[in-house]
Amino acid sequence: MVLFMLTSMVVKAQQVDSMAQKQKERIYCVISAEGKVPMRDVVIHTNTEHWAMTDYTGRFMMKYDWDSATVSKPGFVEFKIYAKSIQDTIVMIPNARHISEVEVWGKDMQQQNLDRLSKSARDAAKDAAKPGGIQVDMLGWMDRRGKRDAKHLKKAAEVIDSLNSKQDIEEDPIIRAYIKTTGKKYKGKENTIEGSK
């Protein structure tokens, strides 16, 4: 009697195990509600953190135990399915409020912000207070490169001042080249050119 009960318990356990195995390896099919056609690339995400995706025939097989899963695809309503009540076929409903493509137009705010930042940094550097008191460069007498650079800077400032102080506009090399190539005369302070109408 005990032997009979023990063997019947083992047989029932094997049946339950085989049913669980069949439930684990079941093949499901996902179709569209509109055309009743199989859907590819539908994502199925189970509560046990396993993923599956349908192939071109709309089929997928879940090899792991799961209680519930979320079925989703762009353009269709996302919904939850439960392993206990699921059929072989899953029907997906199209989302009526789905946007297929979006174009965004606008300005490059990053470049504008960089320009503003660099301008404010330059302004801050100009407005920065210079240290007061006596400033002595103790090692400046040994800096030949610094002296050379100071001479170049002084000469460049003199050249710029001489160009800015010229009264005769035709001595400006840019205007002279313009007159030479176009043959038009420059009037002067009005910044207009003769013959340009």
Side-chain angles (χ1 to χ4, degrees), residues 24 26 31 33 45 49 51 70 73 77-78 94 97 102 116 120 134 140 149 151 174 191:
K24 278 198 317 191
R26 250 173 92 182
I31 64 170
H45 180 224
E49 297 300 321
W51 293 81
T70 305
K73 180 176 174 131
V77 176
E78 181 177 309
R97 296 182 183 158
V102 175
R116 285 185 198 141
S120 65
I134 300 172
D149 290 346
K151 284 181 186 177
I174 295 173
N191 295 334

Side-chain angles (χ1 to χ4, degrees), residues 143-156:
D143 188 13
R144 284 187 270 156
R145 186 179 297 167
K147 287 181 183 178
R148 184 193 67 207
D149 290 346
K151 284 181 186 177
H152 284 272
L153 186 62
K154 185 177 178 182
K155 186 170 183 173

Side-chain angles (χ1 to χ4, degrees), residues 47-147:
N47 62 331
T48 58
E49 297 300 321
H50 291 97
W51 293 81
M53 185 177 281
T54 59
D55 60 3
Y56 70 97
T57 63
R59 295 182 180 160
F60 74 95
M61 182 173 66
M62 193 62 70
K63 295 181 180 180
Y64 305 102
D65 285 332
W66 57 281
D67 294 325
S68 64
T70 305
V71 181
S72 63
K73 180 176 174 131
F76 289 85
V77 176
E78 181 177 309
F79 61 94
K80 204 168 218 181
I81 58 174
Y82 296 94
K84 293 178 183 175
S85 63
I86 190 170
Q87 301 294 322
D88 289 343
T89 305
I90 301 167
V91 180
M92 294 207 60
I93 302 167
N95 190 355
R97 296 182 183 158
H98 175 62
I99 298 174
S100 61
E101 184 177 337
V102 175
E103 281 189 39
V104 178
W105 292 72
K107 294 181 181 179
D108 185 10
M109 294 304 291
Q110 183 179 7
Q111 187 61 39
Q112 288 181 355
N113 290 339
L114 286 174
D115 293 342
R116 285 185 198 141
L117 181 65
S118 62
K119 184 179 184 289
S120 65
R122 282 192 301 267
D123 293 344
K126 287 178 186 175
D127 296 340
K130 295 182 180 176
I134 300 172
Q135 296 179 4
V136 178
D137 185 12
M138 298 300 281
L139 299 176
W141 61 276
M142 293 173 33
D143 188 13
R144 284 187 270 156
R145 186 179 297 167
K147 287 181 183 178

